[in-house]
Structures are given as C-alpha cells and as structure tokens.
C-alpha cells in the first residue's frame, strides 16, 4: 500500500494532522495500535488553548467544542489560607481558554475524519518500525490481523505517543534526549458531580497539591498529589474526597459535591524532550517527541502546535514544491515545546510538596504572594497559561 503521508497513531496529533491534510487534498493513512473504542475511552487532558481551538475550527472539527465547551477567563489559586484569582483577558489582550475534554476532541476528529470524510485509519494495527527515513520512500512496517504489512509513503509522521516506535526507529546517535522525573504523582478522579467552582482551582497545601477541574457543568475532574509508589487500589472514593477537602480552603471544601468515580487513575509527572523532531522524511509530533507534567495542561496543546507547523510545512511541499518549512519544522516546534516545558516545570515547582523543609514551603508561599499581587507576575502567568502564540510559519 502507498500513501502521501503515513501517520502512526490516532491520538489527537495524528487525527488532527490527517484532518488538516485531507482538507487540502493530501492523502493520509493512519495505523493505530489500539481499537477505536480503546482510544476513545482514554481520559486525559481538559484545557484547550485558543491556538488549538482555532486549529480545530480550521480542521472543521470545532463545532461541538464551540457549542458545549466552557470558556474560562481565569483560574483560582489557594495558598496560605487565601483564595486568589488570576484573570486572563485583562493580561493577554482578551485571550481565554476552553474547557473541553480530550476524549471529546478525539471523538469529534474521528467523526469528521473517518465517518464523514472516509479517511483511512487501520485500528488494531501496531506499527513495528519505520524504515528508510533517509530515503525518498520511507516505509511503516505494521501488523494487522496477525500479518505483516508495509505502508510506503512520501513522508511519515510519528504521532504515536511517548511509548511509540517512531522515535525508537531513529539511529540513537542522531537523537538527543532530555528527561526529568518528579518525585510524586497525581491521583485523579472523574465523577458526575457539579464542579465546586465555576473556574479551575489550584491548591498549594502542606499535605500536597490539589486541583479542582471539570469537563462540563455536571462532570468534575479532581486531582491530589500522591506518592509515586501509590496505587489506585489503596483509595476508596471516600478516602479521595476526604483528602481533596483537607487540601482546600474550608469554605470551598464544604461546597464540594462528592459522588462515585467514573474513573480513577494515577499519572506520574515527567518531562521529556527528544531533539531533533525530524530525521530525513520522518517527523515526530506530540508526545512522541515530548512530555510535560500535567499541571500546565500543555501536553495536548503542544501536540496541536506541532501539527500546526507540520501541516503547513507539508502543504508548502505539496502545493509549492517548497522544502524550507520542512527544514524549519523541528527548530520552530522545539522553541515552543521548551517554553511549555519551562512553564510546566515552574508551575509544578511552585505548587507541589517536594519535602518537609519549612523554608521551601515559605518560599513557595512568598512566590505565590508575589505572583498574585504583581501585574508583571500575572501577565507572565496568563500569557503562558492561555498559550504562547504560534510563530509566523509561511
Ligand atoms: P497520544 O494521545 O498518546 O496518542 C498516540 C497514539 O499512538 C498510538 N500508538 C501506536 N499506534 C500504532 N503503532 C504503535 N506502535 C503505537 N504506539 C502507540 C496510541 O495507541 C495512541 O492512540 O499522543 P498525541 O496524539 O501526541 O497526544 C498527546 C496528548 O494525548 C497528551 O499530551 C496529553 O493527553 C497529556 N496528558 C495531559 N495533558 C494535558 O494537557 N492535561 C492533562 O490533564 C493530561 N492528562 C495526559 C494526561 C497524558 C496521560 N498519559 C499519556 C499517560 C493523563 C494521562 C494518563
Ligand atoms: C484536567 O482537567 O485534567 C486538567 C486541567 C488543568 C490542568 C491539568 C489537568 O492544569
């Protein structure tokens, strides 16, 4: 089989890329390790930057997001017995974020790309490796129904997440990796209860970090910092709600509506970057090339910014025979990636409990005091949170 752009992975990066290319008349085939239901069942990110929301609209997959997504104009931060609010539009010339689940985005992209446009996605078809990246005809070797198959492409997009095979197909001496593992994890619950506040609440507390997030007016997503060796089986629903409430200001804690879990899981906190994001005709995008700790809600949004640059670079190649944007893809995408890695690292460091050192805790409180009172501090926070602009790329 042959296609113009072979894509490994039908997560948000792979689907969005396929959709944008399809709308420009460029053929793609996606091979996906898992079943469609499995991919749609994953509970992950929930905050969409304006740049990603615009890209979903460009992909003609943003209609339900615009109807059902919640526009948030700020977040709340609790620390030292105080509750402060940081406003976005005031500090970013009117920008906001959209609260809309990754699960819903994946659903909308699959509907538009597969059900409506007839885009080809082979599910239950794990890629084994990419061969010939340094030739004009790279190939994805994959398995389907127990048989080995080969997809010959003009280009391969490795959108197969952190554990995928695309990055591992590169010669080890051609790739440099940077990695940081944080000494704690997040225990998250998804429950059909109304969110405790209208906007997200990030809590700094002596017992550890907590986050009150949501997916809709009737579905909440809450997290508490936990140990890396913790296990969901150690946590009853009641134990989770008790621990969450202990970490919130008392008025807020009293207003939390509790309920049965729809899902409970533990997410380790990890930063990772692989450079470069291109080798010959193989391009990495999204989690395949980088991971951020979840606090800044940047993982999904970075997958979208990579796709923004990659789709434009491929389009310039097919429409104008230009290769300059393909050449600039890795450096351009990585500049934005590193800024998000930095923001996520800073925000993680500001709110989590690293140890029992009282000095560290007082320094965090002092920085939160500065951040929430200073116009410059609020501007720094707001422009990173709503998402740094995409660079001019044409
Ligand atoms: P994905 O979503 O991981 O999709 C990759 C796809 O590739 C498939 N795959 C393969 N297909 C074929 N052959 C192979 N050999 C393959 N190996 C893998 C996988 O099955 C999958 O369908 O990567 P993508 O598209 O780059 O999207 C990135 C986002 O999913 C990711 O950044 C975020 O979800 C990260 N993330 C979060 N980000 C946030 O912004 N806020 C959050 O609250 C948040 N929570 C999370 C998260 C990531 C998590 N993971 C990965 C453990 C919670 C979790 C649990
Ligand atoms: C989430 O809803 O999963 C979420 C929201 C904001 C974050 C991280 C995770 O900063």
């Amino acid at each position: 089989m042959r296609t113009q752009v072979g894509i490994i992975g039908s997560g948000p990066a792979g689907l969005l890329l396929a959709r944008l290319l399809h709308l420009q008349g460029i053929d793609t085939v996606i091979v996906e390790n898992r079943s469609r239901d499995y991919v749609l069942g994953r509970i992950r990110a929930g905050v969409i930057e304006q740049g990603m929301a615009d890209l979903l609209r460009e992909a003609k997959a943003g209609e339900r997001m615009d109807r059902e997504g919640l526009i948030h104009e700020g977040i709340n931060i609790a620390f030292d017995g105080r509750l402060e609010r940081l406003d976005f539009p005031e500090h970013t010339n009117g920008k906001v974020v959209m609260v809309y689940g990754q699960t819903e985005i994946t659903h909308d992209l699959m509907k538009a790309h597969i059900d409506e446009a007839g885009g080809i996605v082979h599910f239950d078809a794990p890629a084994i490796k990419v061969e010939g990246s340094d030739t004009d005809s790279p190939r994805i070797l994959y398995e389907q129904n127990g048989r080995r198959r080969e997809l010959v492409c003009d280009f391969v997009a490795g959108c197969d997440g952190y554990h995928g095979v695309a990055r591992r197909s590169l010669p080890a001496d051609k790739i440099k990796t940077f990695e940081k593992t944080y000494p704690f994890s997040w225990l998250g619950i998804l429950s059909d209860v109304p969110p405790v506040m209208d906007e997200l609440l990030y809590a700094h507390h002596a017992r550890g970090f907590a986050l009150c997030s949501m997916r809709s007016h009737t579905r909440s997503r809450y997290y508490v910092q936990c140990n890396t060796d913790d296990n969901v089986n150690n946590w009853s629903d009641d134990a989770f709600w008790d621990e969450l409430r202990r970490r919130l200001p008392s008025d807020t804690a009293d207003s939390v509506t509790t309920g049965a879990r729809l899902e409970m899981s533990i997410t380790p906190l990890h930063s990772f970057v692989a450079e470069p994001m291109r080798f010959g005709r193989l391009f990495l995008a999204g989690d395949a090339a980088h991971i951020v700790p979840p606090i800044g809600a940047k993982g999904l949004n970075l997958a979208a910014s990579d796709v923004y640059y990659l789709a434009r670079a491929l389009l310039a190649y097919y429409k104008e025979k230009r290769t300059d944007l393909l050449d600039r893809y890795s450096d351009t995408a990585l500049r934005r990636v590193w800024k998000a890695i930095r923001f996520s690292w800073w925000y993680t460091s500001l709110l989590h409990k690293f140890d029992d050192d009282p000095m560290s805790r007082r320094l965090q409180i002092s920085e939160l005091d500065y951040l929430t009172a200073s116009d410059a501090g609020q501007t720094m926070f707001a422009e990173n949170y709503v998402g740094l602009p995409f660079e001019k790329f044409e």
Side-chain angles (χ1 to χ4, degrees):
M1 199 178 8
R2 195 180 166 102
T3 188
Q4 290 179 301
V5 181
I7 300 175
I8 313 178
S10 73
L15 287 167
L16 186 55
L17 180 65
R19 180 77 189 137
L20 291 168
L21 294 179
H22 172 83
L23 290 173
Q24 298 293 338
I26 299 167
D27 287 339
T28 63
V29 171
I30 302 183
V31 295
E32 163 60 49
N33 196 6
R34 303 286 192 162
S35 69
R36 181 169 175 164
D37 283 349
Y38 182 96
V39 174
L40 281 172
R42 289 192 290 229
I43 311 292
R44 290 185 176 176
V47 178
I48 312 302
E49 297 171 354
Q50 204 153 308
M52 175 163 191
D54 288 343
L55 202 56
L56 286 164
R57 292 180 191 117
E58 186 181 319
K60 300 198 189 325
E63 204 180 287
R64 194 162 67 103
M65 170 190 75
D66 281 327
R67 223 175 34 244
E68 296 177 12
L70 309 176
I71 289 174
H72 282 203
E73 299 192 344
I75 54 113
N76 302 288
I77 301 195
F79 63 99
D80 202 24
R82 292 162 54 184
L83 184 61
E84 302 288 347
R85 180 174 182 275
L86 297 178
D87 189 89
F88 304 146
E90 191 186 328
H91 297 286
T92 59
N93 279 329
K95 290 200 178 137
V96 295
V97 294
M98 178 82 81
V99 171
Y100 189 65
Q102 179 169 335
T103 315
E104 309 310 319
I105 290 172
T106 309
H107 179 278
D108 296 347
L109 284 167
M110 282 189 180
K111 182 162 170 270
H113 184 62
I114 306 171
D115 303 336
E116 290 167 9
I120 303 174
V121 182
H122 296 300
F123 289 102
D124 296 306
I128 311 299
K129 66 173 165 178
V130 181
E131 283 186 349
S133 312
D134 51 353
T135 71
D136 286 348
S137 306
R139 297 174 302 283
I140 301 171
L141 305 185
Y142 67 103
E143 268 177 18
Q144 200 175 22
N145 302 324
R147 294 177 61 184
R148 281 278 176 127
R149 294 178 191 270
E150 186 177 86
L151 177 64
V152 182
C153 320
D154 297 341
F155 298 97
V156 174
C159 303
D160 49 352
Y162 179 64
H163 299 289
V165 297
R167 191 179 68 247
R168 288 169 226 278
S169 301
L170 296 177
D173 61 333
K174 300 283 184 222
I175 195 154
K176 188 167 167 56
T177 58
F178 302 83
E179 210 155 358
K180 182 174 180 60
T181 301
Y182 293 86
F184 36 72
S185 297
W186 280 15
L187 173 69
I189 198 170
L190 184 74
S191 182
D192 271 338
V193 290
V196 66
M197 295 185 80
D198 291 341
E199 293 174 333
L200 271 56
L201 168 62
Y202 293 84
H204 175 266
H205 192 272
R207 294 179 68 88
F209 168 75
L211 167 60
C212 303
S213 180
M214 66 191 75
R215 292 291 176 270
S216 69
H217 291 306
T218 55
R219 181 167 289 185
S220 298
R221 179 76 164 154
Y222 292 116
Y223 298 95
V224 291
Q225 175 183 345
C226 66
N227 292 331
T228 44
D229 59 359
D230 212 334
N231 188 306
V232 279
N233 299 327
N234 298 335
W235 290 85
S236 65
D237 291 354
D238 284 346
F240 180 91
W241 294 116
D242 287 347
E243 187 56 39
L244 175 75
R245 283 185 295 214
R246 279 191 204 108
R247 299 182 188 190
L248 302 179
S250 54
D251 286 358
T252 315
D254 291 345
S255 328
V256 171
T257 308
T258 63
R261 75 180 77 177
L262 293 172
E263 190 255 11
M264 190 187 268
S265 55
I266 291 187
T267 307
L269 270 66
H270 190 194
S271 299
F272 171 84
V273 184
E275 293 183 348
M277 289 169 59
R278 179 234 181 134
F279 180 73
R281 284 181 171 240
L282 168 60
F283 293 81
L284 302 178
D287 279 16
H290 40 73
I291 298 278
V292 286
I295 190 165
K298 294 290 171 230
L300 173 61
N301 292 293
L302 281 181
S305 64
D306 291 351
V307 167
Y308 172 89
Y309 295 125
L310 186 52
R312 275 157 179 74
L314 289 166
L315 193 62
Y317 174 85
Y318 283 110
K319 301 286 172 197
E320 303 168 52
K321 297 254 174 298
R322 283 171 53 193
T323 54
D324 56 319
L325 294 188
L326 291 169
D327 293 339
R328 280 167 48 203
Y329 166 72
S330 176
D331 285 349
T332 310
L334 280 167
R335 269 195 294 279
R336 197 168 187 283
V337 166
W338 273 110
K339 288 179 193 134
I341 295 269
R342 184 213 69 84
F343 176 69
S344 307
W345 158 80
W346 167 80
Y347 200 23
T348 303
S349 310
L350 183 63
L351 289 180
H352 288 78
K353 178 178 177 168
F354 282 73
D355 51 38
D356 290 321
D357 176 19
M359 176 81 178
S360 309
R361 187 169 135 70
R362 288 304 292 265
L363 286 170
Q364 287 175 322
I365 290 173
S366 169
E367 187 164 357
L368 283 161
D369 192 24
Y370 166 75
L371 175 74
T372 53
S374 148
D375 218 39
Q378 292 178 57
T379 302
M380 181 285 287
F381 183 88
E383 67 184 12
N384 279 282
Y385 196 96
V386 301
L388 297 172
F390 297 159
E391 277 181 42
K392 198 163 165 243
F393 196 65
E394 51 192 35

